[in-house]
Amino acid sequence: MKSNNKLKIFNDPIYGFITIPNSLIFDLIQHKYFQRLRRITQMGLSYLVYPGAHHTRFHHALGSMHLMQKAINVLRFKEVTISKEEENGLLIAILLHDIGHGPFSHAMEHSLVNDISHEEISLYFMEKLNEEFNGSLTLAISIFKGEYPRRFMCQLISSQLDMDRADYLKRDSFYTGVAEGNINSERLITMLNVVDDQLVVEEKGIYSVEKFLVARRFMYWQVYLHKTGLVAEQLLTRILKRAKELVQEGEKLNCSEPLFFFLNSEINAESFKSNTLDVFAKLDDYDIVAAMKDWQYHDDFVLRNLCEMIINRDLLKIKIRKNPIKTSDLTAHSKALIEKYDISKSQADYFVFSGEITNIAYHNKKQHINILQKSGKLKDIVKASDQLNLKALSKPVTKYYMCYPKKKM
């Protein structure tokens, strides 16, 4: 049933009123593929650390579109030509940039599907919507894929300083209450310009860029890679992996049909075609939570304990170190667990494991944030800035972690 009343305003706690610019974008927001984002949390299981972090991908997509509207107005004011079709392409590309995320955002990519990223799934959704909307997303898809000849437009969607980052840093810091991550995205956008088809920041915006990069580094260590959030996401990935193993061994597991489909199939980039896409579109956080609530009473030692840990927020212990984890440390914990519960080594591996995390706030090897100086010259932010730690921000920092059960499991 189509509604004729094309509601034009959303009230956002961060930016205030967000206007929907036209009926095509209204219809895309109304589509069931996009409405599903209301049921996908933006920050996965981070609410186990920051109780306020329950905002969704739906919030973030609208916020990113709002900032894109601002960026287009700023660039047009500075006499950068952007046609009505290009404006629409930019708004649709940023609105749909995260539509391919699975339940709890990233856990899906490492367990239920193989070798297929959320960006690729986003593209499949956009291509399917393009068929439904008679080709009106063609330009947006070209910009999203980075193929559109006007380079700066692709950079507004995906770069070191895109509208995606400009929204999620501000939004995530707001909902977590981590004030250090709060950036002035409006000021940053006001300082944007285009030179030789590249997105640049005017010299007077240099401190805003510094603040943006420092805030990004801080948010990664303090929030996105927080050790409790990290161990929770690892547990969720392992729950789905174990459930898949059990289903493929013929075990009966209670869960929703879409979730059962993914547990019972080997899905990769090749097999992810329209049939799979429609099933994927029915999958969200609720399927996973409902399954975990049921599975915490399952006979399987591994599945039962992993689910209980997340449902009751009684997680594994995690230690983070600067040097790689020694095998002997892992073996000791693994051995103790095997003896205590009379389980196999492969079962113990679900509870005792190690990994690494890397944080790089500014990938200047891949792309640059160029500062437009008053002389007209372009300089990379690291060279243009007098802040010493910006050079450090462009070097990757790796830390190593080890997870193992608390005394009583």
Side-chain angles (χ1 to χ4, degrees):
M1 201 170 81
K2 287 277 180 202
S3 157
N4 294 322
N5 171 28
K6 307 282 186 189
L7 175 76
K8 295 288 192 294
I9 291 173
F10 279 101
N11 196 346
D12 184 72
I14 295 169
Y15 310 120
F17 292 122
I18 292 178
T19 53
I20 298 172
N22 57 52
S23 59
L24 169 61
I25 286 174
F26 177 85
D27 290 337
L28 285 168
I29 291 170
Q30 279 288 79
H31 196 281
K32 62 182 180 182
Y33 288 167
F34 191 81
Q35 287 294 317
R36 165 184 163 273
L37 296 182
R38 290 182 185 270
R39 302 185 300 278
I40 307 271
T41 50
Q42 170 74 9
M43 293 178 63
L45 289 160
S46 290
Y47 61 79
L48 293 175
V49 184
Y50 298 100
H54 276 286
H55 55 303
T56 65
R57 292 270 159 197
F58 185 87
H59 279 127
H60 165 59
L62 290 178
S64 302
M65 182 190 76
H66 173 71
L67 293 183
M68 184 66 84
Q69 286 174 298
K70 283 193 175 302
I72 290 165
N73 291 339
V74 163
L75 293 176
R76 278 184 175 154
F77 181 73
K78 293 174 185 176
E79 298 181 347
V80 177
T81 311
I82 298 171
S83 71
K84 199 75 193 139
E85 290 74 24
E86 286 171 332
E87 175 184 0
N88 231 12
L90 283 165
L91 292 174
I92 292 168
I94 198 70
L95 183 72
L96 303 180
H97 77 282
D98 269 348
I99 200 169
H101 268 292
F104 291 105
S105 293
H106 290 284
M108 178 96 184
E109 290 172 58
H110 308 295
S111 45
L112 295 184
V113 292
N114 303 316
D115 306 320
I116 179 164
S117 66
H118 70 268
E119 289 92 352
E120 290 170 88
I121 300 173
S122 292
L123 190 56
Y124 292 147
F125 272 124
M126 287 166 87
E127 284 164 349
K128 189 93 188 283
L129 287 166
N130 200 25
E131 287 170 26
E132 276 186 45
F133 286 87
N134 305 319
S136 49
L137 279 73
T138 306
L139 182 58
I141 289 170
S142 168
I143 295 171
F144 178 78
K145 286 163 84 171
E147 292 172 355
Y148 194 63
R150 300 191 75 186
R151 186 84 208 105
F152 78 91
M153 293 194 178
C154 304
Q155 288 173 318
L156 283 167
I157 304 293
S158 177
S159 66
Q160 297 284 299
L161 200 57
D162 54 34
M163 296 305 103
D164 172 30
R165 288 178 189 191
D167 179 78
Y168 78 63
L169 284 174
K170 194 170 179 65
R171 188 168 299 279
D172 295 349
S173 83
F174 176 87
Y175 280 97
T176 53
V178 176
E180 293 87 344
N182 188 13
I183 57 162
N184 190 342
S185 40
E186 281 90 342
R187 177 169 166 80
L188 260 176
I189 288 167
T190 308
M191 297 300 147
L192 292 177
N193 209 329
V194 174
V195 173
D196 297 335
D197 211 36
Q198 296 285 328
L199 205 58
V200 299
V201 180
E202 289 163 0
E203 194 168 12
K204 56 188 178 224
I206 194 164
Y207 302 119
S208 299
V209 178
E210 287 175 358
K211 170 85 166 59
F212 168 81
L213 292 173
V214 171
R216 183 171 148 79
R217 175 183 180 273
F218 189 90
M219 286 294 283
Y220 266 86
W221 285 133
Q222 188 77 27
V223 179
Y224 307 130
L225 297 174
H226 187 287
K227 63 178 191 173
T228 308
L230 186 67
V231 73
E233 188 161 308
Q234 284 294 326
L235 287 173
L236 182 56
T237 304
R238 284 167 160 71
I239 286 169
L240 296 172
K241 187 176 161 224
R242 183 59 174 173
K244 198 167 188 171
E245 256 176 39
L246 292 172
V247 164
Q248 293 180 357
E249 284 168 11
E251 274 276 349
K252 179 77 185 85
L253 283 187
N254 287 334
C255 63
S256 69
E257 275 183 38
L259 180 54
F260 184 77
F261 173 85
F262 280 94
L263 293 175
N264 200 30
S265 324
E266 280 303 325
I267 305 292
N268 55 30
E270 274 306 293
S271 56
F272 205 103
K273 291 293 174 264
S274 62
N275 176 38
T276 306
L277 190 70
D278 279 333
V279 182
F280 183 84
K282 293 174 186 164
L283 203 57
D284 56 52
D285 292 5
Y286 295 85
D287 298 77
I288 308 294
V289 173
M292 287 192 295
K293 283 176 73 179
D294 192 290
W295 297 345
Q296 66 180 324
Y297 306 111
H298 196 272
D299 293 341
D300 182 69
F301 177 86
V302 173
L303 189 63
R304 179 177 72 248
N305 279 290
L306 291 176
C307 290
E308 273 181 359
M309 285 175 181
I310 289 188
I311 294 292
N312 303 324
R313 200 197 176 277
D314 187 9
L315 310 170
L316 294 171
K317 263 183 109 64
I318 178 167
K319 285 209 169 135
I320 294 191
R321 296 183 181 154
K322 288 184 176 165
N323 298 314
I325 306 296
K326 293 183 187 136
T327 315
S328 57
D329 290 351
L330 288 169
T331 310
H333 287 293
S334 184
K335 212 170 156 193
L337 197 63
I338 291 166
E339 283 171 13
K340 188 173 179 183
Y341 293 102
D342 191 24
I343 55 173
S344 66
K345 167 80 168 71
S346 63
Q347 285 175 307
D349 288 347
Y350 277 96
F351 303 97
V352 180
F353 52 87
S354 63
E356 61 181 61
I357 44 176
T358 301
N359 181 7
I360 177 165
Y362 177 43
H363 281 274
N364 64 345
K365 300 276 187 293
K366 281 187 182 175
Q367 298 160 323
H368 296 278
I369 295 177
N370 283 322
I371 302 297
L372 173 63
Q373 298 185 301
K374 288 194 174 66
S375 63
K377 278 189 174 167
L378 294 181
K379 235 185 192 180
D380 183 272
I381 180 68
V382 173
K383 292 195 174 111
S385 167
D386 55 8
Q387 197 171 337
L388 297 170
N389 66 355
L390 277 200
K391 201 163 192 176
L393 290 185
S394 58
K395 291 193 171 73
V397 178
T398 301
K399 293 182 184 180
Y400 303 87
Y401 66 87
M402 171 172 78
C403 299
Y404 56 91
K406 295 168 183 168
K407 291 271 186 290
K408 183 176 171 292
M409 205 165 85

